[in-house]
Amino acid sequence: MISKTALKNYASVIKAAAFAFLFIPAFCFAFIPQIDKSLGKARIYSEDEQLIASTGKVQRVWQWTDYGFGTVSLKNLSTGKEWIEEPENNCDWAYFGITEDKKGVIRKLDAEVQQATPFSKEHLRLRAVIYYPSERTSVLYEVCVYPGAEGIKTQLGIKRPPQNIAPIKTEKNKIIIKAENGSTHFPDDFRDQTDPAFATVLSSSSKISFQIKNISYDRDYVLGLSWWDWNGTGRRQRVVARIEGERSEAILIPTTTLPDYKNKQEKPDEFSITVPGDMLLEDDFIVEVQKRQGPDAVISEIWIYEENCRKPMHRSELPVNRAEVILGKAPEGFGLAAYMDCGERNLQRRSYNQSRGVTEELNINFSGGKVNFAGYNCINEDFLKSQPQQPLLKEETLNVQSDTSRQFEWANLMTFQSGENGIAVVKESNQCRNLDSFDTGWFSLTPSGLTVTGWGIRQFEMKADRFRKGWPTWVILSKGDKDELLLSMKKFDRLVFPEDSLGRFTYCRTGSRYNTKLEKNPVNSKNVTENMARAGKAGFGIVNIDSGWELQKEKRLIGRDMWRPDSEFFPNQWEDVFKAMLENNLRTGLSAKNSIETQDLNWNYEKLKNSFWTLDNSKIRDYKELESFRRRSEEYLNQTEGNSCFSMETGKEYPSAGYYCLREYGKIRLYPDNTELQRNGNHILQDCWELAKYNNPGKWQLLLQDFGDYSPEFAAAASCAGLPGMKAQFFEDIEDIEDKQAVSNVFEVYAQNSAELYSHFTFPIGERPNGRSWAGFQFCSPGDKEGFILIFREKENTYSKNTVRLKFLGSGKLKITNLLEETEKTTDCDDGFVGLRMDKPGDFLFLKYKKL
């Protein structure tokens, strides 16, 4: 007879087995679950071991491996062009030291329709959750598919118990390389010509000494190093080894001339030298790089291979673009014991922006073609002080060979054209070329294709209870020439960053209590309403009330009531301002510090119905600040139903929105608001022209504060490529009445046509502005017969007539209306080329055209 205890135990076993049977398929899959979801032309579905996402124009296919999903096909459905010819990678992503080379299982796979919101267009979204058991880590892979789009957006997230990274301790069995002297040098003029690991050097006037510690006498060692003479000063140097206290030394590298990059474009040299046995008699030895000729001794990298290595380094501890090279050069039976990137890791560029993993892997054959990388500068005070003439946009075109390997840590995007097929890859981070953010990573071009790095999440920022999402990536395909590729990028940009409540209005800013004397305080009810009356007459569409309206510190309750109008200056709160706004047919904006909370944003919006908030000092220095900003922005836009949005900076001394981040929440300010250093009329034209190449300038606020040698009217017109603005006091300070009226005329014409301008895409036309060019903008949409031309003849240009090529027009007759002079004429358009005339240098034309 079976006892009750035995029956109870047997039932428990059956119950546990049944639970285990139910639990496993519910949370882990040995195969790809079947999904199939459509939205218009967009579709996401699974088939065997593959995932397929299609917009109707672009199709991407992933193959499931034991490590995740790897792209095996990327096809332009319009041309049939297959970009992935020989797929190689096991997985499109890898977080170094965590998911890299780790096997995972699918825990979740679904696709759903994401409805349109104030900050998103309707689209399909794929969500795949892959769990890596050995690391107790889950990775979220999201794919956004917009119907009819020419691109697909991907984004990674990670969920993991946070890991505190302890500093490396000196261990007896770990080789240590210690630099005894030298200073870091970062040659700005040449840093982008080679890998960052080479570019940054350690230098000294006579010699650089390194101590190699914790060696073992019963092992052999190989020393590696790299160097270059970037500015061609004739550097010659040698390398010796010695034991401290000993007079004798071993010459490891005899006197050698360093590669001359400036004059001969020679690449950096790399060496591997066996360390002589008599240098291994103690626990450590010294390596000296000695100057023989030239201004100083320099070295880029130094590393040590150890026989039967006790503590081999992992590739995640090395610069991304150097890891495979250095690890691959280890002699048989040796491992990499220590590595020092001489100086680069001491700089913010790598310590702050060090890549922590791969986010996109595209096995594309670029060999024989030209790949273009582009990145934008942040115009902050440091930029204006140190490099006032430097352009906004940096581009580098690379002729790709079969063995090309380059890294571009400053770039925002990559473009490549192959016949009628183009491809662009955009990293949606807050990266600026001259102002690094956290883990934005870089683009790496290798013989295998293109790798995008930078998760945007550091290990100590990970959470165990929720996913934290990193920087998204866009992959865009086009049919046609380079213009078509740029158009495809602008179309996709508008899907990801849809139109906002600001539209395309001119705006002015009132003064601030914080930079004017209190007795002349412009931030009060009386002066704001007077400014509104003047702004309405001058042709402005928005008045932004600058900082200083909020309750002053000494009047606040503890911790609260800061973000209310100061009753001393606004006795009726926003009532008088709201009335003046309606009477003058204006919109309003409010300035506030980035610390303002959602409840305060909402309180003021309910009273004033302000169209936007200018957020000052909007630092995005880490993931916590980014996540907080997104949370607050989405709450506010949802609660105001998209009728109010934000204005943010690209950055100041710290990174903020950059050029491809947070634009779904409003506008970005190209220029700093409160600085005495300004860009003048010529630079404004140049900046807008370069901005319009890869961006939709209608998302950008351009605040005029200096005209330089150009007329106020010229500078005002140049800013019309984006959302033009001016400080109210600056407008009033224009002395010539005719100049002031001319500015108003430009803004009035802009306002009358703003809806049409905003519906079009903006392209730079003519030559790049350089003080001597004909340069400007075309506002157009392919297929439309109407558009706009804003063209400038710079001051040093000597041609009163010029032929400008317009995009997407072909040949035929054009009716051209001069919007400022209100005149019309008919002219010929020959394959897009149109003849124009301006009699005076430093002049411009604001035209509307219609193809007959």
Side-chain angles (χ1 to χ4, degrees):
M1 186 173 182
I2 302 175
S3 68
K4 288 184 179 180
T5 302
L7 285 172
K8 187 175 181 180
N9 291 338
Y10 178 75
S12 298
V13 171
I14 295 298
K15 185 177 180 181
F19 178 77
F21 177 78
L22 293 172
F23 180 83
I24 292 173
F27 289 89
C28 294
F29 298 93
F31 54 88
I32 295 183
Q34 292 298 304
I35 60 170
D36 194 340
K37 198 74 174 180
S38 297
L39 175 66
K41 295 180 179 179
R43 185 186 178 198
I44 297 175
Y45 62 101
S46 59
E47 192 173 88
D48 298 327
E49 294 297 300
Q50 292 186 336
L51 276 177
I52 300 98
S54 172
T55 70
K57 291 185 177 180
V58 173
Q59 178 178 280
R60 186 166 179 177
V61 181
W62 296 265
Q63 177 75 39
W64 169 253
T65 71
D66 288 337
Y67 305 92
F69 287 103
T71 298
V72 294
S73 174
L74 180 62
K75 183 180 286 188
N76 187 328
L77 299 178
S78 301
T79 64
K81 166 69 175 178
E82 174 60 70
W83 286 94
I84 310 294
E85 296 176 358
E86 297 180 8
E88 297 177 3
N89 54 302
N90 285 329
C91 185
D92 281 355
W93 63 83
Y95 199 109
F96 296 148
I98 297 180
T99 72
E100 183 186 29
D101 300 327
K102 302 292 194 304
K103 291 187 177 182
V105 293
I106 301 174
R107 275 195 165 177
K108 180 179 180 180
L109 188 70
D110 62 27
E112 58 186 4
V113 175
Q114 296 293 295
Q115 299 297 329
T117 66
F119 40 86
S120 176
K121 294 282 190 180
E122 188 178 42
H123 61 277
L124 283 180
R125 184 180 67 175
L126 168 76
R127 287 172 58 89
V129 177
I130 294 87
Y131 181 64
Y132 295 89
S134 65
E135 298 294 322
R136 296 186 301 143
T137 298
S138 295
V139 167
L140 171 68
Y141 188 53
E142 288 191 346
V143 181
C144 294
V145 183
Y146 298 86
E150 292 167 283
I152 290 176
K153 172 180 169 179
T154 59
Q155 185 174 17
L156 287 160
I158 194 163
K159 181 168 67 173
R160 184 176 194 252
Q163 307 291 313
N164 291 321
I165 310 300
I168 296 175
K169 297 180 180 179
T170 301
E171 302 175 41
K172 195 63 180 174
N173 62 347
K174 180 178 176 63
I175 305 297
I176 302 294
I177 301 176
K178 181 182 179 183
E180 297 292 315
N181 69 311
S183 59
T184 298
H185 186 62
F186 197 43
D188 284 329
D189 293 342
F190 299 93
R191 72 178 189 180
D192 297 325
Q193 308 307 319
T194 187
D195 189 278
F198 293 137
T200 309
V201 300
L202 201 62
S203 69
S204 176
S205 58
S206 58
K207 65 182 180 181
I208 307 168
S209 297
F210 295 93
Q211 192 173 22
I212 314 298
K213 305 177 69 173
N214 296 337
I215 61 170
S216 176
Y217 71 91
D218 59 351
R219 287 178 167 82
D220 289 334
Y221 294 87
V222 173
L223 176 74
L225 60 87
S226 67
W227 61 33
W228 69 323
D229 185 3
W230 63 91
N231 55 353
T233 56
R235 288 181 174 90
R236 288 170 58 80
Q237 54 195 38
R238 71 173 187 174
V239 178
V240 302
R242 61 181 177 83
I243 297 176
E244 190 164 5
E246 299 286 335
R247 293 187 177 182
S248 61
E249 60 184 25
I251 298 177
L252 302 183
I253 301 175
T255 300
T256 301
T257 300
L258 274 62
D260 181 343
Y261 178 79
K262 182 178 181 179
N263 302 307
K264 300 178 182 179
Q265 284 70 56
E266 293 176 337
K267 296 181 178 180
D269 271 343
E270 299 178 53
F271 299 87
S272 291
I273 314 103
T274 300
V275 179
D278 55 359
M279 293 292 113
L280 308 176
L281 301 178
E282 304 289 343
D283 289 341
D284 52 26
F285 66 95
I286 293 171
V287 173
E288 286 185 355
V289 181
Q290 300 174 345
K291 181 184 80 172
R292 299 314 242 187
Q293 180 180 310
D296 52 7
V298 296
I299 184 171
S300 295
E301 302 168 288
I302 183 170
W303 62 90
I304 291 284
Y305 299 116
E306 182 182 47
E307 183 184 27
N308 299 321
C309 187
R310 293 164 289 175
K311 288 274 187 177
M313 292 184 71
H314 188 266
R315 60 176 288 186
S316 64
E317 301 175 83
L318 303 173
V320 165
N321 223 33
R322 296 287 289 149
E324 291 186 11
V325 175
I326 292 174
L327 292 173
K329 287 186 175 183
E332 187 174 354
F334 285 68
L336 181 66
Y339 171 88
M340 177 182 286
D341 185 348
C342 295
E344 177 72 357
R345 286 186 181 271
N346 296 329
L347 297 177
Q348 184 187 43
R349 180 164 293 273
R350 191 177 295 275
S351 62
Y352 189 38
N353 189 27
Q354 179 185 355
S355 174
R356 287 161 175 82
V358 174
T359 58
E360 192 72 270
E361 193 86 58
L362 297 171
N363 299 128
I364 296 173
N365 182 14
F366 296 109
S367 184
K370 295 182 178 181
V371 178
N372 185 65
F373 291 88
Y376 286 99
N377 280 303
C378 169
I379 301 181
N380 54 16
E381 292 224 19
D382 288 340
F383 177 85
L384 293 170
K385 285 178 183 176
S386 61
Q387 302 167 358
Q389 306 302 318
Q390 184 162 324
L392 180 73
L393 175 67
K394 174 185 171 59
E395 293 187 271
E396 183 176 343
T397 300
L398 190 67
N399 292 310
V400 183
Q401 308 300 324
S402 59
D403 62 345
T404 295
S405 185
R406 279 285 304 278
Q407 186 170 290
F408 298 85
E409 89 285 359
W410 50 266
N412 297 113
L413 57 97
M414 180 281 300
T415 59
F416 177 73
Q417 196 72 33
S418 175
E420 68 167 349
N421 287 281
I423 182 170
V425 180
V426 176
K427 186 168 51 179
E428 192 188 314
S429 72
N430 63 348
Q431 168 81 34
C432 289
R433 180 174 175 258
N434 61 326
L435 188 64
D436 286 323
S437 185
F438 56 99
D439 192 24
T440 56
W442 43 71
F443 292 96
S444 290
L445 199 62
T446 70
S448 299
L450 182 74
T451 300
V452 183
T453 69
W455 279 60
I457 311 162
R458 293 163 288 188
Q459 285 195 41
F460 65 87
E461 295 173 317
M462 296 177 185
K463 295 291 183 182
D465 61 341
R466 68 181 187 275
F467 285 106
R468 281 189 150 176
K469 296 181 184 179
W471 309 116
T473 304
W474 311 347
V475 178
I476 301 160
L477 308 181
S478 73
K479 175 185 178 181
D481 58 13
K482 183 66 178 290
D483 287 342
E484 292 288 351
L485 177 57
L486 295 176
L487 174 64
S488 298
M489 293 175 67
K490 290 174 184 292
K491 286 181 176 179
F492 196 75
D493 182 289
R494 193 165 283 181
L495 289 172
V496 177
F497 302 130
E499 297 84 354
D500 53 64
S501 64
L502 283 187
R504 202 161 183 150
F505 288 80
T506 53
Y507 73 108
C508 71
R509 291 188 66 154
T510 65
S512 168
R513 177 178 293 116
Y514 301 129
N515 56 21
T516 59
K517 294 182 179 178
L518 192 60
E519 59 268 22
K520 294 183 179 179
N521 171 38
V523 189
N524 59 43
S525 182
K526 179 177 180 292
N527 286 332
V528 168
T529 55
E530 289 175 352
N531 268 327
M532 285 187 162
R534 287 193 293 266
K537 291 178 182 178
F540 291 99
I542 297 175
V543 171
N544 184 80
I545 302 171
D546 215 334
S547 53
W549 57 268
E550 67 273 18
L551 196 64
Q552 300 307 290
K553 188 174 183 180
E554 63 275 8
K555 303 174 187 175
R556 299 174 201 158
L557 297 175
I558 297 175
R560 289 299 313 136
D561 295 331
M562 174 180 179
W563 300 110
R564 303 291 185 270
D566 192 323
S567 59
E568 181 180 349
F569 305 109
F570 295 87
N572 298 320
Q573 294 189 334
W574 292 125
E575 185 177 328
D576 297 335
V577 177
F578 183 72
K579 182 180 178 181
M581 178 185 77
L582 298 179
E583 289 175 349
N584 293 283
N585 194 28
L586 290 168
R587 294 186 177 196
T588 55
L590 284 176
S591 291
K593 291 182 180 179
N594 190 49
S595 57
I596 186 171
E597 293 291 340
T598 305
Q599 58 191 4
D600 299 311
L601 296 170
N602 289 331
W603 187 93
N604 286 280
Y605 174 76
E606 288 300 320
K607 304 293 183 182
L608 187 59
K609 303 299 181 186
N610 53 303
S611 294
F612 69 103
W613 285 90
T614 296
L615 297 180
D616 297 323
N617 207 25
S618 52
K619 301 184 182 87
I620 308 292
R621 296 167 295 185
D622 54 33
Y623 194 90
K624 181 179 180 181
E625 290 181 339
L626 177 67
E627 188 176 58
S628 174
F629 189 94
R630 288 194 180 279
R631 172 192 56 78
R632 179 185 55 181
S633 300
E634 292 182 11
E635 287 177 358
Y636 181 68
L637 264 68
N638 277 326
Q639 289 174 14
T640 61
E641 297 180 339
N643 292 315
S644 185
C645 61
F646 294 99
S647 166
M648 299 149 285
E649 303 155 324
T650 56
K652 283 188 177 177
E653 67 272 24
Y654 296 103
S656 183
Y659 285 78
Y660 289 94
C661 182
L662 305 177
R663 275 200 280 133
E664 63 266 45
Y665 305 124
K667 306 288 188 186
I668 309 296
R669 301 194 299 280
L670 186 62
Y671 299 121
D673 293 330
N674 297 313
T675 176
E676 295 180 359
L677 302 167
Q678 305 297 335
R679 300 285 262 183
N680 62 32
N682 177 55
H683 283 129
I684 292 168
L685 177 60
Q686 183 188 99
D687 294 340
C688 294
W689 197 91
E690 292 182 328
L691 179 68
K693 186 168 184 179
Y694 296 110
N695 266 279
N696 287 317
K699 276 281 188 177
W700 291 81
Q701 290 180 308
L702 310 170
L703 189 68
L704 299 179
Q705 293 175 319
D706 187 8
F707 307 136
D709 295 332
Y710 287 82
S711 68
E713 181 186 17
F714 183 99
S719 72
C720 288
L723 193 148
M726 188 181 295
K727 283 195 173 182
Q729 189 61 47
F730 193 65
F731 180 76
E732 291 301 317
D733 287 344
I734 299 174
E735 295 179 358
D736 193 300
I737 299 299
E738 291 185 1
D739 281 345
K740 188 175 291 188
Q741 185 58 50
V743 170
S744 293
N745 291 343
V746 170
F747 286 163
E748 284 174 6
V749 166
Y750 174 89
Q752 290 165 7
N753 296 279
S754 61
E756 286 185 80
L757 290 169
Y758 199 56
S759 68
H760 290 307
F761 297 100
T762 309
F763 291 88
I765 56 175
E767 303 172 287
R768 179 183 174 274
N770 57 13
R772 303 177 299 278
S773 69
W774 276 61
F777 310 92
Q778 180 186 0
F779 305 83
C780 62
S781 297
D784 285 3
K785 292 184 177 182
E786 295 184 355
F788 296 85
I789 304 167
L790 183 56
I791 191 76
F792 300 82
R793 178 186 168 189
E794 293 189 278
K795 276 210 163 185
E796 296 178 32
N797 183 274
T798 59
Y799 301 101
S800 59
K801 295 181 181 179
N802 202 357
T803 301
V804 178
R805 182 179 179 271
L806 303 179
K807 303 177 188 296
F808 315 118
L809 274 184
S811 299
K813 293 283 186 180
L814 291 183
K815 183 178 79 171
I816 294 183
T817 303
N818 188 316
L819 296 174
L820 286 167
E821 297 179 1
E822 298 182 342
T823 59
E824 291 184 357
K825 70 173 184 177
T826 301
T827 189
D828 292 320
C829 178
D830 183 9
D831 194 26
F833 288 94
V834 176
L836 298 172
R837 180 186 182 100
M838 275 186 277
D839 293 328
K840 296 184 301 180
D843 203 356
F844 68 95
L845 298 171
F846 204 159
L847 310 172
K848 183 175 184 179
Y849 66 82
K850 180 177 182 180
K851 190 172 182 181
L852 301 176

